[in-house]
Amino acid sequence: LVDPVDPWVQPFDDWWLDVVQRYRRDWVVDVATVLDKVGSPWVTLPVRAVAVAILLLRRRWVQLSAFVTAVVLSEFAIGPVKAWVDRARPPSLVETSGASFPSGHAIAAAVTAFALVAAFLPRGRRRLRWAVVATLFAGSMAWSRTYLGAHWATDTIAGISFGAGIAILSEVAWEEGRRRAALREEHLDTS
């Protein structure tokens, strides 16, 4: 269980907050604020809706199922985990609400980016390159949230890990389901 008042990760979080505050510059705050907006529901929800529409139009049912599963699971998990851990936020430059852990922006960025890569790109080198882009995007979201003081560093690290993990596991589960269904179908055809 995590102690929300004095978690064991707090020394690292305090160190990172000190670094951020020491090197905070107005123009970098502006960049972080733009990223804060990009990670908001005002941007992530339309991106997700467009992805769902494209997958529906292309009749990519397994990819659609994996994408929707990842997004829904991540969204439903954020509130209960925040309530359970109930960690206070650091001093913030932007308006925040609710508990600090985990970072909803980091989860949303990671789950959306990784689920998009999984839904639209076949496994291989090209997907790997885009997975690096997804990692950089999620990392930039994590950085912006800590730079603005909206979250502790470990809140964002956990958010990225959770979001990426849910996206990857959703794809693996749906692809495995498709593989098993194909094997059952093949077995029935040969019987």
Side-chain angles (χ1 to χ4, degrees):
L1 203 58
V2 176
D3 178 358
V5 177
D6 189 25
W8 62 271
V9 294
Q10 197 62 51
F12 172 76
D13 285 330
D14 290 338
W15 168 81
W16 180 249
L17 181 62
D18 181 56
V19 168
V20 165
Q21 288 175 335
R22 214 173 329 135
Y23 297 104
R24 198 173 270 156
R25 303 292 178 263
D26 289 342
W27 71 272
V28 184
V29 169
D30 293 341
V31 170
T33 302
V34 168
L35 287 169
D36 178 56
K37 300 295 185 237
V38 168
S40 74
W42 293 105
V43 175
T44 57
L45 289 178
V47 167
R48 292 169 176 179
V50 168
V52 166
I54 292 169
L55 292 168
L56 277 169
L57 288 171
R58 292 183 179 176
R59 299 174 189 232
R60 309 255 331 257
W61 306 122
V62 171
Q63 292 82 6
L64 173 67
S65 299
F67 185 86
V68 170
T69 299
V71 168
V72 169
L73 284 176
S74 70
E75 290 299 324
F76 279 133
I78 293 170
V81 172
K82 281 182 178 282
W84 180 58
V85 176
D86 196 27
R87 187 178 190 196
R89 290 182 185 261
S92 181
L93 299 179
V94 294
E95 187 177 323
T96 60
S97 63
S100 188
F101 183 92
S103 167
H105 275 69
I107 290 174
V111 78
T112 302
F114 281 93
L116 285 170
V117 169
F120 289 100
L121 296 166
R123 293 183 180 154
R125 286 185 184 270
R126 187 167 169 221
R127 181 191 272 196
L128 184 58
R129 283 188 221 115
W130 280 100
V132 170
V133 172
T135 302
L136 293 172
F137 175 71
S140 69
M141 188 58 56
W143 165 82
S144 74
R145 299 302 284 165
T146 62
Y147 196 81
L148 295 171
H151 285 284
W152 300 103
T154 54
D155 300 340
T156 63
I157 293 166
I160 289 173
S161 301
F162 184 78
I166 289 283
I168 293 165
L169 290 174
S170 292
E171 185 211 12
V172 167
W174 281 98
E175 288 291 342
E176 179 63 15
R178 174 171 50 182
R179 187 187 71 76
R180 287 182 184 204
L183 286 174
R184 275 194 302 274
E185 189 71 28
E186 184 180 304
H187 179 69
L188 290 174
D189 288 345
T190 59
S191 296

